[in-house]
């Protein structure tokens, strides 16, 4: 059974011009979508995966979730044809020379397990470098299935799919964005391309809604982590790399896998403001400057505020400005627990940090609020 919901149309349609040499992204069509600042729930680094596809003849389904933008090598061919950095299926055909065209209902599909279950606010179907071999249209459905279901379970009649993006035309060599307005928590998506073709990347932007039973069983956990429902709300500078890197679950792997600001020439300083999983009691914290050697922050402080208890709340410093060492993981045990719903890290005067971890437990109020939201969203 599939429920229907409306969604805005894509911004681009039709083929792109054939590749004419030079920078392949020079004629790439894109736009500023209002939801792309939100967490990518389908980020491979959060544990997302493409668990099945009905066809991947020309290019494998796993390319859909690669974190970097799609690459293009005009001279790269294999025994099946042009090698593309995306998911590409073979051309569908009709039953006979008199009816050589695919039927209206013909389509290809891929099943995606979200790395972090949550509410989807917007989807980007990126057809970069698929200029005349992109799908005519796409559609996206979501399901909420507990545990770790096999593809067969997801494809069975027992799984209820909700339409997030109804069939909508898309353009070749373009970032096709769709706003979603379904207030439900999803664990899996089904990406459909009508009738066939290629898609380079899929991004699923939304709000993480963690399982409160899992967090309760853990007891102490990282209350600002992306996968646990933490998120960046505002940041002073995004010149070199995104602030969201600081709350990813993995260890940094190179210099740009953290947050780094431009060099300040004034008397100010840089900062990131975060929203925590829910109201939490923080007992220890970690600031990592891995791979930031000549460009790490000189000093850092951490503050929290509690909007659940006193409305707007006020900032309270829990780590005073402390000297940071380059390429070093710094750990601090707080003299007493600090309760808050938000956190802020200030770096002096500029530079970067790789990761921030805030270890604690949810308060009774925080656990109650998280459980209520999880229940209201169908979790």
């Amino acid at each position: 059974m599939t429920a229907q919901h409306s969604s805005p149309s894509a911004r681009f349609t039709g083929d792109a011009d054939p590749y004419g040499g030079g920078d392949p992204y020079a004629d790439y069509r894109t736009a500023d979508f209002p939801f792309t600042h939100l967490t990518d729930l389908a980020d491979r680094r959060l544990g997302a995966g493409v668990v099945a596809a009905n066809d991947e003849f020309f290019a494998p389904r796993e390319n859909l979730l690669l974190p970097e933008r799609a690459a293009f090598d005009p001279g790269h061919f294999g025994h099946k044809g042009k090698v593309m950095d995306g998911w590409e299926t073979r051309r569908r055909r009709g039953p006979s020379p008199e009816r050589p065209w695919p039927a209206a209902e013909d389509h290809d599909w891929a099943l995606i397990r979200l790395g972090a279950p949550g509410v989807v606010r917007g989807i980007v179907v990126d057809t970069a470098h698929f200029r005349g071999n992109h799908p005519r249209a796409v559609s996206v459905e979501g399901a909420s299935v507990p545990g770790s279901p096999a593809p067969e379970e997801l494809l069975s009649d027992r799984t209820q799919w909700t339409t997030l993006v109804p069939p909508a035309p898309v353009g070749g060599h373009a970032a096709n964005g769709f706003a979603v307005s379904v207030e439900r928590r999803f664990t899996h998506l089904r990406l459909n391309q009508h009738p066939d073709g290629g898609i380079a990347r899929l991004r699923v932007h939304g709000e993480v809604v963690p399982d409160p039973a899992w967090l309760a069983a853990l007891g102490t956990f990282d209350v600002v982590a992306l996968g646990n429902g933490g998120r960046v709300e505002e940041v002073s500078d995004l010149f070199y790399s995104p602030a969201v890197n600081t709350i990813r679950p993995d260890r940094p792997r190179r210099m740009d896998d953290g947050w780094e600001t431009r060099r300040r020439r004034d008397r100010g300083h840089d900062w990131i403001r975060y929203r925590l999983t829910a109201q939490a009691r923080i007992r220890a914290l970690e600031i990592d400057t891995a791979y930031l050697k000549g460009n790490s922050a000189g000093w850092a402080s951490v503050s929290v505020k509690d909007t659940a208890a006193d409305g707007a709340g006020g900032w309270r410093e829990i780590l005073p400005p402390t000297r940071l060492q380059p390429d070093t993981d710094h750990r601090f045990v707080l003299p007493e627990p600090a309760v808050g719903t938000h956190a802020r890290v200030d770096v002096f005067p500029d530079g970067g940090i790789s990761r921030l971890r805030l270890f604690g437990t949810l308060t009774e109020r925080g656990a109650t609020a998280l459980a209520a939201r999880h229940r209201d969203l169908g979790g």
Side-chain angles (χ1 to χ4, degrees), residues 7-10 33 35 121-125 138 165 168-170 176-180:
S7 176
S9 299
F33 302 113
F35 46 75
R121 300 299 184 192
I123 294 172
V124 177
V125 177
V138 299
V165 179
V170 294
N176 300 277
F178 305 91
V180 177

Side-chain angles (χ1 to χ4, degrees), residues 251 284-288 319 328-334 359:
R251 304 298 300 181
L285 61 93
E286 184 177 351
I287 300 175
D288 194 354
L319 179 73
T328 300
D329 192 10
H330 310 75
R331 293 178 174 176
F332 307 93
V333 176
L334 299 183
F359 297 103

Side-chain angles (χ1 to χ4, degrees), residues 345-371:
V345 59
D346 294 87
V347 300
F348 306 91
D350 55 31
I353 63 173
S354 299
R355 296 291 187 271
L356 174 71
R357 312 292 191 202
L358 301 177
F359 297 103
T361 57
L362 295 185
T363 63
E364 183 177 350
R365 176 181 290 190
T368 299
L370 181 63

Side-chain angles (χ1 to χ4, degrees), residues 184-258:
R184 283 194 58 196
R185 177 182 185 266
F186 295 104
T187 61
H188 294 77
L189 297 188
R190 182 163 60 190
L191 172 64
N192 305 304
Q193 51 177 334
H194 309 267
D196 54 41
I199 297 170
R201 298 288 188 267
L202 176 71
R203 307 300 186 214
V204 182
H205 299 281
E207 300 163 8
V208 176
V209 182
D211 182 352
W214 173 253
L215 297 183
L218 292 179
T220 299
F221 62 93
D222 183 359
V223 298
V224 76
L226 203 59
N228 293 334
R231 65 179 185 267
V232 172
E233 284 197 331
E234 197 172 354
V235 59
S236 64
D237 186 283
L238 292 170
F239 191 82
Y240 283 114
S241 47
V244 71
N245 284 348
T246 61
I247 53 175
R248 294 195 183 281
D250 52 351
R251 304 298 300 181
R253 292 172 293 177
R254 59 186 195 183
M255 189 178 74
D256 65 348
D257 194 14

